[in-house]
Amino acid sequence: MTEINFDKILEDIKPSAAEVEKVKLLSNGLINIIDGLAVENGINAEAMLVGSVAKGTWLSGKAVKDNADIDLLIKFPLTTSLNDLKRCGLFLGEKCIEMVKGYAEKRYASHPYVTGHIDGYDIDFVPCYSIKDARQLKSAVDRTLLHTLYIQNKLKNEKKDEVRLLKKFMESVGTYGSEFKVGGFAGYLCELLILYYGSFQDVLNAAATRWHPHYQIDLEKYGTAELFKEPLVVVDPVDKKRNVAAPLTQQKMSEFMVAAYNFTKNPSQEYFYPKKVEHDLNLIKEEFKKRGTHTVLLIFKPPSIPADAIYPQIKKTENSLVNLSEREDFKVFGSDFWTDEKKKVIILLEFDTWKLPTIKKHSGPFVWSKNHQDKFLNKYKEKAWIENDRWVVGVQRKHEEVQSLIETALTRGKIGYLRFGKHLKNEILKKYEMMDLMEFLESEEVGDDVLGFLYHYLHGSELLWR
Amino acid sequence: MTEINFDKILEDIKPSAAEVEKVKLLSNGLINIIDGLAVENGINAEAMLVGSVAKGTWLSGKAVKDNADIDLLIKFPLTTSLNDLKRCGLFLGEKCIEMVKGYAEKRYASHPYVTGHIDGYDIDFVPCYSIKDARQLKSAVDRTLLHTLYIQNKLKNEKKDEVRLLKKFMESVGTYGSEFKVGGFAGYLCELLILYYGSFQDVLNAAATRWHPHYQIDLEKYGTAELFKEPLVVVDPVDKKRNVAAPLTQQKMSEFMVAAYNFTKNPSQEYFYPKKVEHDLNLIKEEFKKRGTHTVLLIFKPPSIPADAIYPQIKKTENSLVNLSEREDFKVFGSDFWTDEKKKVIILLEFDTWKLPTIKKHSGPFVWSKNHQDKFLNKYKEKAWIENDRWVVGVQRKHEEVQSLIETALTRGKIGYLRFGKHLKNEILKKYEMMDLMEFLESEEVGDDVLGFLYHYLHGSELLWR
């Protein structure tokens, strides 16, 4: 069916021999340093390369952002105390980075680790336990070890390019990456899909025509798929109690299914390259105007916490603002957010209804509920009336305009009604701006990244077609 | 508990000896004329007084409007054909009215009858079959005969004033009358309630404290109450397959329960007299303005059909307009209607939302539903986007303002989308006006009856308190 020149695409996305050599030299060098340092300092530990580089499924340079990053585990015997593991692990990582004149940054996942910026690569040095199977799991990072061993053992050499094609396709249509920011497909999940279906084309055929909500894949036939409620279930071959696709949202699963369908119907190599999209300020302005809705931006500085932690907090805030608005009868057409993670968060709220009458209907007790009726009528007297079998009354609405509702909700003392992480709450309490979108587009020097966000908000399926 | 002088109230609502004498003379005279005419013309038929006058539960002159009306049945043997019954019944009625120099008017219920306007009374001459029990029922009017006989047989003389008090109370609080216009309690239902509970005060106590939805009363213990789904069930003592309270709406049942509760908590003879209510144009204008809603009036001429038939058609139209508006996302705060039955119908629609954005979200197929997806995307292409597991698209709203929606719905060709009786539909197609309430209140000489309607709309529980 396809006349696509996959070899040409692979030329663009597969690391060159030189690139492979460079990464191998670097990682082997680091492993030797760590192992040497361990012996020198009497630490019972051993370094091991994991992740896409170790599995041979990584993409060339900038073909997929961050994919060539090197992950090194520093494995400790199971008898090591967690305290010793953390302390010695960090020591070995930091010392190693220092020796190669890299720049070290401490980070936190389930436990602390250190990232070294060395020769243009980001290299994670992650302490873990040297486990043999899932029953010995002590922390989430230990599982990475098992994943690497499983793929190294099962994925034949000729399938590695199939993984690369799938990853690149996913990335181009916007569904690659299991981090919260994306909510898409992890690299390991791509590898498992290739193992299961056999090829890039077969994965796309399945997603295009056979996938449905709660679709189940169980490579090792553990029979535990029913335990999981997520949109896609892929039982982890190294841990039957884990769904590898748990971070995948229904949204991204749907988007991949549609992109796969579009590709299989009308294949094009364009699906493996970034889509060129024009973000014209005036066109965007025109489009929003034509909708006749009312769009408000809430703008504030992100808190100084790791990027991974910022996204869920922003999403929670967005949802909380939508719920608050709808609870007060302001109908929301759509919402979204954007952040550069450092300087600016923008939450966009687009309203069908943003102004409401002064009066609001408030439902009271049933007419046969005498105690409740007495209380209700003591309060509202003859202002109340009956509708069928219950009392209702017209009460003064606290906020006739949604912006006033939100501004009140964002003040100290009221902010408790909203649900979002405390880091972000503190940041908003310090300072935020709320603007009409039109006002924002008129007044500000709007960056291309923000324009891209607004464009994507208006054209949500843009990336699924070529 | 009460210090109410019921004797004083009864003085005002009970017919005087002279009034009783006059009605008796008139009705006996008419019965004699009918019976004489029947013999003379070889018709096997016999007149009988029924209704509240026959049962001795009628109210004085204008104490309750229309209550002193006289109902005469003209009874035919069961062997009479329906055709003969109609023909001879109308002949006897019309001839009798002619003889006493009254004015005859032909009317229709389940079958035709004639009303005579005689000496200031409206007297119905209704042909029926002379049945002995419900199994012989041939038409709804036959049942009236059985009701009269049952009450005459069961209701002791001293209970008749209790019925009068109950009827008058019901009338003053706005819950008396089983016709569609009110949807309240029929006279016969009041009589049965007194038979069941024993006194006015006991009926009020029960309604105030013990009634609840689907409350059941079964005087003759037929055990058929479960057959009925209406808010109040009172099994007809003369027909176990009929619920006497079937025409009672939940609204009017609730209102009576609340009025009864208010009365028992704080009794006052004011509950037996009309409530004086000021309808000030400017206050009404002010109240509507303060609500901040948008109120629209649809004004047209009622069709020339019997009053009883007008009300259900107007109600249906009101409901249909409300449903149409809400289906198109215009949120309705409240609605009501008024008519003088002859010249004018007013349907009032009060909106929370009356203007909406140009764009409207339209839900499409699920992403795994390939055939539907193909059709949808052929139509909407890249304008569509995905929300979770289904396609949505922003489509142009046909009507951004509710008045334009309604005006379109009321044009020939579109009116089929609304559900209401054809008589009324034809009248609206001929001519209607749609006005903002404020415009109406400014521009028109607004009659006191319409002001009263608007006042009651704003103060729905007004009559339930004294």
Side-chain angles (χ1 to χ4, degrees), chain A residues 207-209 211-213 250-251 254-255 257-258 261-262 265 275 290-293 329 331-334 351-361 367-368 370 373-374 377 381-382 384-391 394 397 458-462 464-465, chain B residues 207-209 211-213 250-251 254-255 257-258 261-262 265 275 290-293 329 331-334 351-361 367-368 370 373-374 377 381-382 384-391 394 397 458-462 464-465:
Chain A
T209 59
W211 282 13
H212 54 73
Q250 179 63 63
Q251 180 72 30
S254 300
E255 288 181 10
M257 287 166 64
V258 168
Y261 184 71
N262 292 341
K265 272 184 81 173
K275 187 167 183 176
K290 261 198 202 153
R291 292 154 83 95
T293 52
D329 306 328
K331 223 183 134 209
V332 175
F333 184 90
F351 292 97
D352 268 332
T353 319
W354 57 95
K355 275 190 182 186
L356 286 167
T358 321
I359 200 177
K360 173 185 169 160
K361 204 183 271 187
V367 292
W368 63 84
K370 302 305 171 189
Q373 174 175 281
D374 283 347
L377 293 180
K381 296 255 165 51
E382 294 168 30
W385 67 93
I386 297 167
E387 287 188 0
N388 295 317
D389 54 1
R390 70 190 306 165
W391 285 99
R397 197 181 288 278
L458 291 171
H459 303 267
S461 63
E462 183 69 29
L464 312 182
W465 322 84
Chain B
T209 59
W211 284 12
H212 53 73
Q250 178 64 62
Q251 181 72 28
S254 300
E255 288 182 11
M257 287 166 64
V258 168
Y261 184 72
N262 291 342
K265 273 185 81 173
K275 186 166 184 177
K290 262 197 203 154
R291 292 154 82 95
T293 52
D329 306 327
K331 222 183 133 206
V332 175
F333 184 90
F351 292 98
D352 268 333
T353 319
W354 57 94
K355 275 190 182 187
L356 285 168
T358 320
I359 200 176
K360 173 185 168 162
K361 204 184 269 187
V367 293
W368 61 84
K370 302 304 171 190
Q373 175 175 280
D374 282 347
L377 293 180
K381 296 253 166 52
E382 294 169 31
W385 68 95
I386 296 167
E387 287 189 1
N388 296 316
D389 54 0
R390 72 191 304 167
W391 284 98
R397 197 181 287 279
L458 291 170
H459 303 268
S461 65
E462 183 69 29
L464 312 182
W465 321 85

Side-chain angles (χ1 to χ4, degrees), chain A residues 181-288:
Chain A
K181 179 184 176 180
V182 180
F185 293 75
Y188 178 51
L189 180 51
C190 291
E191 288 151 0
L192 293 180
L193 290 174
I194 294 296
L195 273 183
Y196 186 71
Y197 289 110
S199 73
F200 165 76
Q201 191 64 62
D202 287 322
V203 173
L204 261 69
N205 286 342
T209 59
R210 299 201 303 278
W211 282 13
H212 54 73
H214 202 56
Y215 192 83
Q216 301 176 346
I217 292 173
D218 184 0
L219 286 105
E220 296 292 333
K221 300 195 173 60
Y222 289 131
T224 52
E226 287 302 334
L227 292 178
F228 308 103
K229 300 285 164 247
E230 288 94 356
L232 178 66
V233 176
V234 179
V235 180
D236 192 343
V238 308
D239 184 355
K240 63 183 171 187
K241 286 188 252 164
R242 185 173 169 270
N243 174 17
V244 179
L248 176 67
T249 60
Q250 179 63 63
Q251 180 72 30
K252 289 295 161 182
M253 178 181 175
S254 300
E255 288 181 10
F256 176 63
M257 287 166 64
V258 168
Y261 184 71
N262 292 341
F263 177 82
T264 51
K265 272 184 81 173
N266 193 13
S268 152
Q269 65 176 28
E270 295 299 318
Y271 279 95
F272 298 89
Y273 298 94
K275 187 167 183 176
K276 289 217 175 11
V277 176
E278 296 282 330
H279 313 145
D280 181 79
L281 176 69
N282 286 319
L283 285 180
I284 288 174
K285 219 185 272 182
E286 206 47 53
E287 274 195 74
F288 272 107

Side-chain angles (χ1 to χ4, degrees), chain A residues 136-184:
Chain A
Q136 297 174 310
L137 274 174
K138 294 208 178 186
S139 84
V141 291
D142 301 347
R143 207 182 278 110
T144 312
L145 172 58
L146 301 179
H147 290 167
T148 301
L149 295 172
Y150 183 82
I151 297 297
Q152 284 174 335
N153 185 27
K154 298 276 185 175
L155 191 72
K156 297 196 178 100
N157 266 330
E158 65 268 28
K159 300 289 187 190
K160 292 180 180 171
D161 285 349
E162 300 293 325
V163 172
R164 288 190 169 100
L165 288 170
L166 181 58
K167 284 183 177 181
K168 184 59 193 165
F169 178 90
M170 291 262 194
E171 201 259 347
S172 299
V173 303
T175 63
Y176 186 65
S178 63
E179 63 273 23
F180 194 93
K181 179 184 176 180
V182 180

Side-chain angles (χ1 to χ4, degrees), chain B residues 98-228:
Chain B
E98 192 189 312
M99 285 171 68
V100 298
K101 301 198 163 59
Y103 165 74
E105 198 184 338
K106 219 166 140 186
R107 290 185 176 174
Y108 298 83
S110 54
H111 56 68
Y113 64 96
V114 63
T115 299
H117 303 280
I118 303 166
D119 275 357
Y121 291 93
D122 287 346
I123 301 165
D124 290 342
F125 295 80
V126 185
C128 76
Y129 285 101
S130 177
I131 61 171
K132 295 281 175 287
D133 68 54
R135 279 165 301 176
Q136 299 174 310
L137 273 175
K138 295 209 176 184
S139 84
V141 290
D142 303 345
R143 207 183 277 110
T144 312
L145 172 59
L146 301 179
H147 291 167
T148 300
L149 296 171
Y150 183 83
I151 296 298
Q152 283 173 336
N153 184 28
K154 298 278 185 175
L155 190 73
K156 297 198 179 100
N157 266 328
E158 66 268 25
K159 299 292 188 191
K160 293 177 180 172
D161 285 350
E162 300 292 327
V163 172
R164 289 189 169 99
L165 288 170
L166 182 58
K167 284 184 176 180
K168 184 59 197 168
F169 178 91
M170 291 262 194
E171 200 260 347
S172 300
V173 302
T175 63
Y176 185 66
S178 62
E179 64 274 22
F180 193 93
K181 179 185 175 178
V182 180
F185 292 76
Y188 177 51
L189 180 51
C190 290
E191 289 151 359
L192 294 180
L193 290 174
I194 293 298
L195 274 182
Y196 185 72
Y197 287 110
S199 73
F200 166 77
Q201 192 63 62
D202 288 322
V203 173
L204 262 68
N205 287 342
T209 59
R210 299 201 301 279
W211 284 12
H212 53 73
H214 202 57
Y215 191 83
Q216 302 176 344
I217 292 173
D218 184 1
L219 284 106
E220 296 291 334
K221 300 195 172 57
Y222 288 132
T224 53
E226 287 300 336
L227 292 178
F228 308 104

